[in-house]
Structures are given as C-alpha cells and as structure tokens.
C-alpha cells in the first residue's frame, strides 16, 4: 500500500505533462492558422468590424496570439523547476515568461478585451483577466528581485493559472456547447468567466493548504 502511494505523485505529474502537451498542441494548431498573416481565417472571420475599422486591431491581435503560445510553453517549463542540464535554465526561461507577459501578451490581451464578443459581461471579464495576469506576473518578478522565493513561487503559480485560461476556456466551450447547445453569444459570456475563475480559485486553495 505504501509502495503504491509513492508512485501517485509521479503518475499525477506524468498525467499533467501529457495533458498539457495535448492541449498545447491543439493551441499551437490554432496559432498556426494565422501564419502567414491572414485576416480572413478562424476567429478573425467574426471580427471583421474591428479589422476594417481599427488599424491597430490586427497588430494587437497577432501580438497576443503569437506571444501567448510561447508564454504557455515557457511558463510550463519554469513551473517544472528543472534546469535540464542547462545552467540557470529555470531563471532564464522564467525571465522570458515574465517579459512576454508584461510587455506583450497581457497589454495586447487587455486591449482585445475591450472588443470581446458577448457584450459587456465578456469585455469586463477579459479586461479583469488581463489586468490580474499582468499584476500577478509583476508581483512574481518583484518578489524574485527581492529574493522572496516562496512568494515568487506562489505568484508564478497564480500567473500561470491565468495563462492557462487560454486552454481552459476552450475546454469549457466544448463542454458547454456539447451539453447545452446555447446561443453563441451566451457561450462567450459564460466562458469569459469560467475560463479563468476556477483556475485561480484552485491555485488559491492549494496555496492556502500549503500544497504549493
């Protein structure tokens, strides 16, 4: 019995890596649809009002889409806390993660939030998400600079939980559409909040229970 318990953390970690890898691949496939620059594919097909009336929209959109995929990858590697035989790998990949969010991914995401589908409920959610994403990442950076590494680890987990909203909102969308077949605009309003609130609540629970 005790021997079996020893394998549980390894099994859970393996499942986590496999699960992340699968959904990351799906996210990568979505990202590749926008290469080369094409304003007439996928999500942009329903954003033609913004594409045509706001010259800056595509720049913010592509910035967010192209950087977010690297944010997910670098954040996951940083969370693993392994150097993979490379000196200071964790520190350097963490710097990449933080830089991408603070300078590119979060600001562009906040901008896009103001034009989110689903009306004011969706807009408010995505703007809050982008703001919390930036704030939690900045706190992770700040605590690392002050060598408060326990705080740094906790803020990085909060930040990454919000980064994962890119995956979880799509998972929730599939589940909700499959089970309830709601109006498309209603779906946006639901997943706008469901994509990140359970993530951050779970992390706060784990932090409170001192599991991370």
């Amino acid at each position: 019995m005790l021997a079996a318990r020893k394998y549980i953390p390894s099994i859970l970690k393996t499942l986590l890596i496999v699960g992340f890898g699968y959904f990351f691949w799906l996210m990568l496939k979505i990202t590749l649809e926008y290469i080369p620059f094409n304003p007439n594919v996928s999500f942009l097909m329903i954003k033609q009002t913004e594409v045509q009336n706001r010259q800056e929209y595509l720049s913010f959109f592509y910035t967010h889409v192209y950087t977010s995929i690297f944010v997910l990858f670098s954040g996951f590697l940083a969370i693993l806390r392994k150097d993979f035989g490379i000196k200071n790998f964790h520190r350097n990949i963490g710097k990449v993660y933080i830089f991408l969010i603070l300078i590119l991914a979060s600001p562009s995401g906040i901008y896009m939030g103001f034009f989110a589908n689903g009306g004011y409920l969706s807009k408010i959610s995505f703007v809050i998400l982008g703001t919390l994403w930036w704030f939690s990442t900045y706190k992770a950076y700040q605590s690392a600079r002050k060598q408060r590494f326990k705080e740094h680890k906790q803020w990085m987990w909060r930040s990454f939980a919000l980064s994962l909203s890119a995956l979880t909102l799509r998972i929730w969308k599939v589940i909700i559409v499959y089970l309830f077949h709601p109006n498309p605009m209603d779906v946006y309003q639901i997943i706008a909040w469901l994509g990140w609130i359970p993530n951050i609540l779970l992390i706060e629970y784990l932090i409170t229970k001192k599991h991370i």
Side-chain angles (χ1 to χ4, degrees), residues 13-93:
K13 188 174 183 179
T14 300
L15 290 174
L16 177 64
I17 293 173
V18 171
F20 176 84
Y22 173 72
F23 289 110
F24 177 82
W25 168 244
L26 294 181
M27 190 72 182
L28 180 61
K29 289 175 65 176
I30 294 173
T31 303
L32 292 176
E33 292 178 1
Y34 300 104
I35 301 176
F37 300 116
N38 187 347
N40 297 305
V41 296
S42 286
F43 175 77
L44 288 176
M45 289 294 291
I46 58 175
K47 303 299 293 183
Q48 289 303 302
T49 299
E50 288 79 8
V51 169
Q52 295 174 13
N53 297 336
R54 296 184 173 276
Q55 294 182 350
E56 77 282 2
Y57 184 84
L58 281 178
S59 297
F60 280 98
F61 174 81
Y62 287 128
T63 297
H64 185 70
V65 169
Y66 294 153
T67 57
S68 292
I69 196 70
F70 290 103
V71 164
L72 285 170
F73 187 63
S74 59
F76 187 70
L77 292 179
I79 288 295
L80 288 179
R81 296 187 59 80
K82 289 184 177 181
D83 284 341
F84 301 100
I86 303 173
K87 185 178 180 180
N88 294 325
F89 178 83
H90 172 77
R91 177 184 295 180
N92 291 330
I93 201 69

Side-chain angles (χ1 to χ4, degrees), residues 82-195:
K82 289 184 177 181
D83 284 341
F84 301 100
I86 303 173
K87 185 178 180 180
N88 294 325
F89 178 83
H90 172 77
R91 177 184 295 180
N92 291 330
I93 201 69
K95 288 179 179 179
V96 171
Y97 173 83
I98 289 171
F99 172 83
L100 289 176
I101 292 176
L102 296 183
I103 306 302
L104 298 170
S106 177
S108 59
I110 292 172
Y111 170 86
M112 289 178 60
F114 286 104
F115 305 99
N117 297 327
Y120 286 109
L121 282 177
S122 295
K123 298 178 194 295
I124 292 171
S125 177
F126 283 118
V127 171
I128 293 174
L129 167 59
T131 304
L132 290 177
W133 195 23
W134 192 94
F135 177 76
S136 60
T137 306
Y138 177 74
K139 291 292 288 184
Y141 165 76
Q142 189 180 50
S143 56
R145 293 270 296 181
K146 295 179 180 179
Q147 297 187 346
R148 298 174 180 171
F149 296 116
K150 182 178 180 180
E151 291 180 25
H152 167 72
K153 182 180 179 182
Q154 292 174 346
W155 282 110
M156 278 292 283
W157 271 107
R158 292 183 178 107
S159 173
F160 192 63
L162 296 172
S163 296
L164 285 176
S165 66
L167 302 180
T168 53
L169 71 84
R170 287 171 172 82
I171 296 171
W172 281 115
K173 181 180 179 181
V174 171
I175 294 172
I176 291 170
V177 170
Y178 179 78
L179 292 178
F180 304 108
H181 310 288
N183 181 284
M185 289 301 107
D186 292 338
V187 174
Y188 279 109
Q189 291 179 349
I190 296 169
I191 65 172
W193 298 93
L194 202 55

